[in-house]
């Protein structure tokens, strides 16, 4: 009974853990580390037309524009209905409708250009965010692998120390058995 050892202590071998990061993922991580996506966000250059369409979209899409345009329309209608000034656009307000149609005809495509540009920027930002997230995911997986390897080393060392202690206990147990045997013989 003294010479029996648990199989778990005698069969301690260090088996390397298999990493969860594939070689292609590791290459991707190396490329992302070189590019540093978190420190170098993309900045698309804006042309004159891009800046103009953004200004128009910002202006037309504001309460200030709506209030000013509403005030001008009301003033136009009041001046033409009351005839304080010569009627330049009588009641059906055909000239006013023509001006508003021109405004809508030119404003809508300019706003669409601004929205298209913003959609392109959003797609680039999404791609950028994906790269940053992918890099973070791969870095975390590598850290998990390193922690697992460290834990494995610690477990092997603990098992080795347990084996040494078990052998020492068996020696002590053997010596105690000899001492008890001598005492019984005497």
């Amino acid at each position: 009974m003294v010479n029996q050892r648990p199989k778990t202590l005698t069969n301690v071998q260090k088996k390397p853990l298999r990493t969860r990061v594939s070689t292609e993922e590791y290459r991707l991580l190396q490329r992302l580390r070189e590019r540093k996506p978190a420190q170098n966000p993309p900045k698309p250059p804006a042309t004159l037309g891009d800046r103009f369409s953004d200004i128009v979209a910002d202006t037309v899409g504001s309460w200030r524009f709506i209030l000013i345009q509403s005030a001008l329309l009301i003033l136009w209608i009041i001046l033409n209905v009351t005839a304080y000034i010569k009627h330049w656009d009588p009641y059906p307000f055909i000239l006013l409708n023509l001006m508003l149609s021109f405004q809508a005809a030119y404003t809508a495509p300019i706003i669409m250009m601004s929205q298209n540009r913003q959609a392109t920027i959003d797609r680039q930002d999404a791609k950028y965010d994906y790269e940053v997230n992918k890099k973070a995911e791969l870095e975390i997986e590598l850290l998990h692998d390193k922690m697992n390897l460290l834990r494995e080393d610690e477990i092997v060392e603990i098992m080795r120390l347990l084996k040494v202690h078990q052998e020492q206990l068996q020696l002590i147990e053997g010596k105690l058995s000899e001492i008890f045997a001598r005492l019984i013989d005497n």
Side-chain angles (χ1 to χ4, degrees):
M1 183 167 183
V2 175
N3 292 331
Q4 292 179 352
R5 294 181 186 168
K7 291 184 180 182
T8 56
L9 294 178
T10 58
N11 296 334
V12 175
Q13 296 175 1
K14 186 175 179 180
K15 295 182 221 171
L17 288 177
R18 201 172 158 217
T19 59
R20 292 176 284 179
V21 178
S22 68
T23 54
E24 55 221 29
E25 287 175 328
Y26 189 74
R27 284 188 207 120
L28 172 65
L29 179 60
Q30 293 296 12
R31 284 193 306 267
L32 290 171
R33 283 178 178 170
E34 289 170 8
R35 283 189 21 225
K36 298 180 182 175
Q39 296 174 0
N40 302 317
K43 295 174 186 167
T47 65
L48 179 63
D50 292 338
R51 288 192 299 270
F52 178 72
S53 65
D54 288 342
I55 290 169
V56 169
D58 288 341
T59 304
V60 173
S62 68
W63 277 107
R64 180 177 165 205
F65 175 80
I66 292 172
L67 294 174
I68 291 172
Q69 183 169 357
S70 297
L72 289 174
L73 292 175
I74 291 170
L75 181 65
W76 180 289
I77 292 169
I78 289 172
L79 288 175
N80 278 291
V81 169
T82 59
Y84 285 123
I85 304 176
K86 180 182 168 193
H87 288 284
W88 68 89
D89 189 20
Y91 167 62
F93 307 118
I94 295 172
L95 183 59
L96 179 62
N97 282 328
L98 180 65
M99 288 174 42
L100 292 175
S101 295
F102 270 118
Q103 178 187 0
Y106 282 101
T107 306
I110 292 172
I111 291 172
M112 292 291 288
M113 284 188 274
S114 178
Q115 288 176 341
N116 289 341
R117 181 173 165 277
Q118 189 60 47
T120 302
I121 290 171
D122 290 345
R123 278 192 298 276
Q124 288 174 346
D125 286 347
K127 181 181 176 189
Y128 161 75
D129 288 344
Y130 173 77
E131 288 177 352
V132 170
N133 291 340
K134 187 67 174 174
K135 180 183 177 200
E137 176 187 356
L138 292 172
E139 292 285 4
I140 289 169
E141 284 185 24
L142 283 176
L143 285 174
H144 278 290
D145 290 342
K146 288 177 184 178
M147 292 298 294
N148 288 339
L149 289 173
L150 286 173
R151 278 196 201 124
E152 184 180 273
D153 289 343
E154 288 175 351
I155 289 172
V156 168
E157 180 64 19
I158 290 170
M159 296 301 282
R160 186 190 66 76
L161 289 172
L162 280 173
K163 185 177 179 183
V164 168
H165 286 223
Q166 185 179 23
E167 290 170 357
Q168 290 174 351
L169 283 174
Q170 287 174 349
L171 286 173
I172 292 171
E173 198 175 275
K175 289 186 180 190
L176 283 176
S177 296
E178 289 175 14
I179 292 172
F180 282 133
R182 284 187 207 157
L183 285 175
I184 292 175
D185 288 342
N186 287 340

